[in-house]
Amino acid sequence: GAFVASDEGVSLQNDEWPVDAAIPTEMRDVLAEQLRNHPQYRTLIQCAVCASQGREFPVSLVAQALGKPTRDLLVDLDRLDRETSILYDVRQRDDIFAFQSSFMLDVVRQELQIDRITGADDAPQIIREHHARLGLILEREANASPQHLYQMASHFYAAGPRHAERGLRYSLESVKAACAMLDFATAEHYLMIGEVCGKATGITDVVEAERLYVKCLKAHVTGQFEDH
């Protein structure tokens, strides 16, 4: 089941709602009503979901993507914190708000049509635009950390074909960063993103070359060679 018994009562396993499990109608309706009661914050919440890493999102990043002063956004977030159970202020950390739980975040994604798997072909244009703006902001603030590369690759991938060239570039850089840490699962993930972006741009040979490199490196490190 989705829930497990704990000392505090009943909670979600790993604080995550199962991908294939339907969210109970009663719970979804409660949140949907909260969202309907605050329609002026729909775009804000959409952008916050797009910017989130796990349940958390940086306020300053969302403010830049929405073209709002950070203080004005904090006023809106403070009101949402006080009047709803959607998100809250992470007071122990600077510049961070978070959704109340992964379950809550999944309900928000369903209600606002934000697919958990970014890059969905039927993503609304507003969601693609949020990801494009977030990616461009991160690109201006680019640093060499793998996490920064991963975020840029994911945002430009989710931004759709118009930004596929950037998605391809940063996905390949993400593959290299992951391989440097021998994190082959992450490398495979960004190879998949690179493949989609490569097809959108008509550039696929570089992805195949990188895939061969990852395969050879993984075989060398693990000693597991594929039979042909």
Side-chain angles (χ1 to χ4, degrees), residues 42-44 46-48 50 65-66 125-135 155:
R42 181 182 177 91
T43 302
L44 184 164
Q46 283 178 329
C47 189
C50 293
L66 293 174
Q125 296 295 333
I126 184 64
I127 302 305
R128 296 185 186 191
E129 181 62 20
H130 286 321
H131 280 296
R133 291 189 179 199
L134 291 164
H155 283 307

Side-chain angles (χ1 to χ4, degrees), residues 51-200:
S52 64
Q53 297 294 307
R55 293 188 293 115
E56 300 179 344
F57 59 90
V59 176
S60 57
L61 177 60
V62 174
Q64 289 181 72
L66 293 174
K68 298 184 66 170
T70 300
R71 181 186 177 281
D72 291 352
L73 184 63
L74 283 168
V75 170
D76 292 340
L77 290 170
D78 180 65
R79 183 177 177 185
L80 281 168
D81 183 6
R82 289 183 287 106
E83 298 183 3
T84 75
S85 57
I86 298 173
L87 44 73
Y88 67 97
D89 186 351
V90 182
R91 299 185 181 184
Q92 299 81 4
R93 298 177 59 198
D94 188 33
D95 195 40
I96 298 296
F97 264 69
F99 290 92
Q100 287 287 353
S101 66
S102 294
F103 165 74
M104 180 66 71
L105 178 56
D106 280 348
V107 175
V108 173
R109 286 184 183 279
Q110 285 193 13
E111 290 299 319
L112 300 184
Q113 300 179 10
I114 306 173
D115 201 293
R116 194 193 308 221
I117 303 174
T118 57
D121 292 337
D122 60 348
Q125 296 295 333
I126 184 64
I127 302 305
R128 296 185 186 191
E129 181 62 20
H130 286 321
H131 280 296
R133 291 189 179 199
L134 291 164
L136 290 169
I137 292 165
L138 291 172
E139 188 177 50
R140 291 197 297 269
E141 301 172 353
N143 60 58
S145 73
Q147 193 59 39
H148 202 89
L149 288 172
Y150 299 163
Q151 290 181 48
M152 286 192 291
S154 297
H155 283 307
F156 286 126
Y157 165 58
R162 190 160 59 95
H163 296 276
E165 186 177 338
R166 280 185 164 91
L168 175 60
R169 182 197 318 161
Y170 292 117
S171 64
L172 293 177
E173 290 187 22
S174 295
V175 171
K176 289 183 173 65
C179 284
M181 298 183 291
L182 305 182
D183 184 353
F184 298 113
T186 298
E188 289 290 343
H189 173 73
Y190 287 101
L191 277 172
M192 179 275 294
I193 288 180
E195 183 176 21
V196 174
C197 294
K199 287 179 179 177

Side-chain angles (χ1 to χ4, degrees), residues 207-225:
V207 179
E208 290 308 311
E210 200 66 26
R211 190 184 302 280
L212 180 60
Y213 168 75
V214 173
K215 185 181 296 185
C216 292
L217 178 62
K218 183 178 180 180
H220 175 73
V221 170
T222 63
Q224 298 176 351
F225 295 88

